[in-house]
Amino acid sequence: MPAINELGIMYSHTCNIECRHCGINSGPKNRDRMSLELAERIIDEAALIKPAIRTIVFTGGEALVHPEDIETLVERASDLDFETRIVTNGFWGKHPEKGRRLLRRLRFAGLTSLNFSADKYHLEFQPASTLHSAIAIAREMGYPITVSFTHNGPEDICDVFAELYGVDRDQLVRFEPSSPASLQDFQAQGSSRILVSGGRLVGMGRAAEYPEEHYLTSLDTFSYGGCQEVGQRPVVYPDGTLQACCCAGGKLSTFAAGNVHREPLADICARMTGRTHFRFINTMGPRRLYEVMAEARGFDVAAPHPSLCDLCVKATTGVAPRTVDGILEDWAATQLLSGKVKPPADRTPSGGLQG
């Protein structure tokens, strides 16, 4: 398995809004939160992991409902030579002067980049003008702009985002996390355009309550090929659980690698990178995972699915981690003995940036 590229810290599940597509049920009443001391220890322990982790991502919930704590954590991560990113819905853009003061303090603390979350679900709570203001403030502070955008349909995500938010289409560039150029590499070019990273709904949390919103497609619409999210961009949830992938919503035991309350982060990460399940997703991809698990468990491979990430979720829900590893190891052994050729190593776009 490739090295961990970035580590997400989901500091809390509290958010100023309560979007109905949220897979982790964040909202104003959700008070799940890790302590500042735990978050600091996670950053310190992350600095000891080799090969070195490049980026610490602060997400939620809405990370900036705890601005002073996040400022402290950004500074600590920056002092340890991490790149840092905050995922935010940009609510602070509603009050521009306060927003400027907030971003100025974060810039002094060492914040590297901002990643906005925006889509039709966010628009049910925050007008487009709030995001426009937040983006303008971020540009004043010299931050490159990235937007994570959820869309359920075949349309181009940049076209849809431009229409929904009244943004000049020529200012938008689609960003694929699976592309050779990294987010940091693009940012280093100093582009004034907005990167848009798209993804479809995963049927978890509140998103599961709105099946009519899901854009269902057959299994053959998803390409074969490895997903580089799992294991390379893990997330520590407020309760201390390290999940190998943010798209699992912190709810699946098959994606839980361990808990930082009980053992060092480095030990958990070492075990995670050794899991057959995650190596299989990296190399063979979610579609092949689903096909193998469907054959072993006897469920319908013809069933439609809302997203690529949903394939991983549905394939292993309710199955013990050791059982998943065993099924995949048996399948791989059979393939090796039969001399069958591996599927093509094309890259299917993953679920998007964390958050």
Side-chain angles (χ1 to χ4, degrees):
M1 177 181 286
I4 298 170
N5 182 46
E6 60 183 44
L7 176 68
I9 296 179
M10 189 173 289
Y11 191 61
S12 83
H13 282 151
T14 305
C15 187
N16 60 302
I17 57 180
E18 197 170 21
C19 296
R20 57 194 176 92
H21 74 318
C22 184
I24 57 174
N25 295 320
S26 291
K29 296 179 182 178
N30 191 334
R31 300 297 180 181
D32 292 344
R33 175 181 175 183
M34 68 173 63
S35 68
L36 179 62
E37 292 73 23
L38 176 61
E40 290 176 325
R41 178 164 65 81
I42 291 168
I43 293 170
D44 291 346
E45 292 186 10
L48 302 176
I49 294 175
K50 302 298 180 185
I53 296 172
R54 186 174 187 180
T55 306
I56 300 292
V57 182
F58 300 99
T59 183
E62 167 56 54
L64 290 177
V65 298
H66 305 290
E68 293 181 357
D69 287 0
I70 296 301
E71 180 186 349
T72 297
L73 296 173
V74 166
E75 185 170 17
R76 195 178 194 101
S78 181
D79 287 346
L80 291 170
D81 295 325
F82 287 109
E83 301 286 330
T84 54
R85 185 166 78 248
I86 290 175
V87 181
T88 177
N89 61 41
F91 73 96
W92 38 268
K94 184 177 180 180
H95 303 288
E97 286 308 314
K98 289 183 179 179
R100 286 187 182 91
R101 287 196 295 271
L102 172 63
L103 290 201
R104 191 175 295 114
R105 291 179 66 91
L106 290 169
R107 175 60 93 186
F108 287 147
L111 181 65
T112 307
S113 62
L114 284 165
N115 180 185
F116 294 98
S117 296
D119 42 50
K120 74 173 188 177
Y121 304 103
H122 286 80
L123 283 175
E124 293 175 357
F125 293 88
Q126 293 184 167
S129 59
T130 298
L131 182 67
H132 289 186
S133 176
I135 287 176
I137 296 167
R139 279 181 166 155
E140 285 179 25
M141 299 295 162
Y143 290 109
I145 309 301
T146 306
V147 174
S148 294
F149 185 77
T150 300
H151 177 62
N152 300 295
E155 299 85 4
D156 181 89
I157 58 169
C158 289
D159 291 343
V160 179
F161 177 68
E163 181 177 355
L164 279 178
Y165 279 86
V167 177
D168 182 358
R169 176 62 179 82
D170 291 339
Q171 289 295 306
L172 307 179
V173 178
R174 181 162 185 164
F175 173 72
E176 302 291 1
S178 58
S179 66
S182 71
L183 176 61
Q184 289 88 349
D185 293 337
F186 186 93
Q187 291 168 345
Q189 299 172 15
S191 174
S192 62
R193 293 193 291 177
I194 298 173
L195 287 178
V196 182
S197 174
R200 286 157 60 175
L201 286 178
V202 181
M204 303 188 74
R206 279 194 294 274
E209 300 174 13
Y210 302 94
E212 69 280 2
E213 290 283 329
H214 294 202
Y215 175 61
L216 301 176
T217 55
S218 62
L219 188 65
D220 60 11
T221 62
F222 301 100
S223 299
Y224 290 109
C227 169
Q228 304 309 303
E229 295 282 312
V230 177
Q232 295 178 50
R233 302 176 67 194
V235 182
V236 184
Y237 278 70
D239 67 355
T241 300
L242 180 78
Q243 292 273 330
C245 178
C246 67
C247 294
K251 301 177 185 298
L252 299 182
S253 62
T254 45
F255 284 87
N259 192 292
V260 294
H261 285 295
R262 294 191 287 272
E263 56 185 323
L265 178 65
D267 292 352
I268 300 172
C269 289
R271 185 168 59 250
M272 175 184 68
T273 56
R275 279 281 309 278
T276 300
H277 179 195
F278 307 143
R279 288 174 177 267
F280 191 97
I281 295 171
N282 285 157
T283 56
M284 306 300 285
R287 176 175 173 178
R288 182 62 79 199
L289 172 73
Y290 186 85
E291 291 173 339
V292 172
M293 295 301 295
E295 181 179 358
R297 299 177 64 195
F299 51 74
D300 185 10
V301 294
H305 300 277
S307 66
L308 182 71
C309 296
D310 204 74
L311 294 180
C312 279
V313 170
K314 292 291 171 52
T316 59
T317 297
V319 186
R322 288 185 179 180
T323 301
V324 174
D325 287 345
I327 291 172
L328 298 177
E329 288 162 5
D330 289 345
W331 180 87
T334 300
Q335 297 297 300
L336 181 63
L337 291 172
S338 66
K340 292 183 178 179
V341 180
K342 293 181 179 180
D346 60 308
R347 287 288 181 262
T348 300
S350 56
L353 298 171
Q354 287 181 348

